[in-house]
Amino acid sequence: FNLSGEMNDISKSLTLQPGYFRVITEPPEAKVFLNGKYLGTSPIWSREYQGKSMDLRVEKTGYETRVIPISSDKPPPEPLTLKLKSQP
């Protein structure tokens, strides 16, 4: 609403800052690491990453570990959605 009581139509487009990304896994609550540093469990927003190339590792007990190379020159898709495969 504005000062005269009229409703304003406000639309805003949100974009991620370069160097940030979101990781979603199926199943959820997988451990997420960036260059070996533990970030937390999925779903998660990463902290800013820097460097030409880094390894994103996702692991969960009973599932195959996934390692995805990322770089600041070519960031991962937003969000980065990973389906983990059950271990045989």
Side-chain angles (χ1 to χ4, degrees):
F1 290 93
N2 62 22
L3 293 177
S4 65
E6 297 172 354
M7 218 161 117
N8 291 331
D9 180 24
I10 300 173
S11 60
K12 200 178 230 188
S13 175
L14 299 176
T15 57
L16 291 176
Q17 295 294 321
Y20 289 85
F21 59 93
R22 182 171 40 158
V23 178
I24 298 172
T25 62
E26 181 59 43
E29 299 183 6
K31 294 179 182 178
V32 180
F33 300 83
L34 188 61
N35 270 4
K37 182 179 177 184
Y38 178 69
L39 298 177
T41 57
S42 64
I44 189 170
W45 285 94
S46 83
R47 296 182 184 97
E48 185 171 2
Y49 65 93
Q50 298 175 355
K52 287 289 181 184
S53 66
M54 304 185 90
D55 286 326
L56 177 75
R57 188 175 83 241
V58 178
E59 57 186 47
K60 184 173 177 84
T61 302
Y63 293 85
E64 293 180 5
T65 297
R66 300 275 308 265
V67 178
I68 296 93
I70 62 171
S71 73
S72 54
D73 296 336
K74 188 175 181 183
E78 174 47 37
L80 177 58
T81 303
L82 300 170
K83 291 188 179 189
L84 304 178
K85 292 182 183 180
S86 296
Q87 288 181 333

